């Protein structure tokens, strides 16, 4: 059976009851709009609670914040601190707000970020945006990892606003992640939106779970890559990308 874009996305995304929500592109020549189907729910590989978090009322948001703050207060007590002392009194709520910001990518989708930023252009030269800063939380220990992502693609009639490449990286990094999946999600999303000749993504990051605990190796970094299309098939194209993004 042919492995279509729809089939690949079905495997990557849980089934959700949501209305299809296409991203809209625009022709640079005629100004006419066209739909860019990415995933059936328009939610970009949602997690189990994504729809609930996106759609909940202000009262439900406040309740979610209270639940996180209460859990943090319990953690503070369990590590042996006094949650009532002056410096700690507002820490549970501060952390709850910070955690919701760190994971704001769950409330975003490609439609939110890209609508109107896909353009028809007659170009087939490599496009690269490199050294995009990313910050994420390791899903295994809930501690940060941070680094830089470089993204390249070779257009096939469609290009994406340059800042949107950084926004895609930001959206997926602002979730509980592992670096391997983050790399592939960024690449696959761009491939699905633009249908280019190929996409290349590399990430180099430092993980606090290796620096602050465990093997405790400051200065170590983890490098991951995802090569799709011509970047996977052609060593020459792949080498050009790696050379241009090398520091």
């Amino acid at each position: 059976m042919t492995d279509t874009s729809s089939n690949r996305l079905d495997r990557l995304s849980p089934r959700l009851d949501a209305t299809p929500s296409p991203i809209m592109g625009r022709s640079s020549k005629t100004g006419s709009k066209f739909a860019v189907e990415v995933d059936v729910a328009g939610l970009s590989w949602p997690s189990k609670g994504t729809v609930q978090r996106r759609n909940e009322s202000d009262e439900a948001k406040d309740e979610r914040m209270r639940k996180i703050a209460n859990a943090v207060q319990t953690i503070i007590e369990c590590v042996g601190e006094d949650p009532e002392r002056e410096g700690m009194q507002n820490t549970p709520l501060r952390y709850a707000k910070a955690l919701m910001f760190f994971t704001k990518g769950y409330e975003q989708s490609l439609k939110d970020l890209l609508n109107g930023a896909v353009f028809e252009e007659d170009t087939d030269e490599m496009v690269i945006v490199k050294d995009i800063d990313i910050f994420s939380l390791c899903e295994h220990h809930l501690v940060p990892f941070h680094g830089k992502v470089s993204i390249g693609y070779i257009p096939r009639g469609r290009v994406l606003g340059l800042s949107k490449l950084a926004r895609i990286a930001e959206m997926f990094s602002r979730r509980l992640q592992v670096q391997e999946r983050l790399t592939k999600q960024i690449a696959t999303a761009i491939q699905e939106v633009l249908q280019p000749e190929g996409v290349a993504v590399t990430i180099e990051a430092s993980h606090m779970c290796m620096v602050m605990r465990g093997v405790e190796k400051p200065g170590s970094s983890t490098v991951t890559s995802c090569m799709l299309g011509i970047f996977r098939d052609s060593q020459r194209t792949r080498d050009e990308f790696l050379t241009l993004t090398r520091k």
Side-chain angles (χ1 to χ4, degrees):
M1 176 181 288
T2 302
D3 188 14
T4 65
S5 298
S6 177
N7 289 336
R8 292 197 301 274
L9 285 165
D10 285 347
R11 291 201 302 272
L12 288 169
S13 303
R15 277 292 180 189
L16 296 173
D17 293 329
T19 303
S21 184
I23 296 169
M24 299 306 295
R26 187 172 67 253
S27 170
S28 60
K29 295 181 179 179
T30 65
S32 60
K33 293 184 178 181
F34 54 88
V36 182
E37 291 285 356
V38 178
D39 62 68
V40 292
L43 293 173
S44 314
W45 299 287
S47 67
K48 183 177 179 180
T50 296
V51 173
Q52 179 181 352
R53 178 168 168 177
R54 280 172 61 92
N55 298 335
E56 65 188 1
S57 65
D58 290 340
E59 292 77 11
K61 289 182 185 293
D62 291 340
E63 177 60 24
R64 183 185 293 268
M65 202 74 72
R66 283 193 293 271
K67 287 173 67 176
I68 297 173
N70 289 339
V72 173
Q73 180 164 331
T74 299
I75 292 172
I76 292 172
E77 292 172 347
C78 288
V79 299
E81 255 295 353
D82 176 10
E84 298 302 324
R85 71 177 176 85
E86 183 178 3
M88 301 291 293
Q89 287 177 3
N90 295 320
T91 296
L93 183 57
R94 281 195 295 261
Y95 184 82
K97 292 179 179 178
L99 185 61
M100 293 298 283
F101 178 81
F102 296 154
T103 60
K104 65 180 182 177
Y106 287 120
E107 300 182 30
Q108 297 175 316
S109 73
L110 290 175
K111 176 175 168 55
D112 297 334
L113 299 182
L114 306 184
N115 219 4
V118 180
F119 305 99
E120 290 184 339
E121 289 290 347
D122 183 19
T123 180
D124 59 1
E125 298 298 329
M126 191 180 300
V127 178
I128 296 175
V129 177
K130 67 176 187 176
D131 294 337
I132 303 166
D133 288 310
I134 55 166
F135 301 88
S136 192
L137 290 177
C138 166
E139 67 181 36
H140 300 145
H141 302 97
L142 299 187
V143 294
F145 67 91
H146 63 92
K148 294 183 181 294
V149 57
S150 293
I151 301 170
Y153 70 94
I154 297 179
R156 184 161 50 190
R158 290 178 179 176
V159 297
L160 189 62
L162 294 178
S163 67
K164 302 303 183 182
L165 296 173
R167 291 189 184 278
I168 291 174
E170 170 79 2
M171 179 184 74
F172 286 119
S173 67
R174 291 296 188 179
R175 302 177 179 186
L176 303 183
Q177 280 285 10
V178 294
Q179 184 174 328
E180 298 87 340
R181 183 174 67 240
L182 173 59
T183 309
K184 188 171 184 178
Q185 284 183 333
I186 294 169
T188 305
I190 296 168
Q191 181 73 26
E192 297 294 343
V193 169
L194 296 179
Q195 295 295 307
E197 296 290 343
V199 179
V201 176
T202 60
I203 297 179
E204 182 171 357
S206 176
H207 292 248
M208 294 302 101
C209 59
M210 288 184 60
V211 174
M212 298 176 63
R213 57 161 299 284
V215 295
E216 298 182 80
K217 296 299 180 184
S220 64
S221 63
T222 300
V223 179
T224 52
S225 70
C226 182
M227 305 288 170
L228 302 177
I230 193 172
F231 289 95
R232 177 182 287 271
D233 299 335
S234 168
Q235 181 175 343
R236 180 177 178 180
T237 304
R238 184 167 59 251
D239 288 347
E240 179 182 354
F241 169 77
L242 295 174
T243 298
L244 290 173
T245 56
R246 189 174 295 126
K247 295 180 180 179

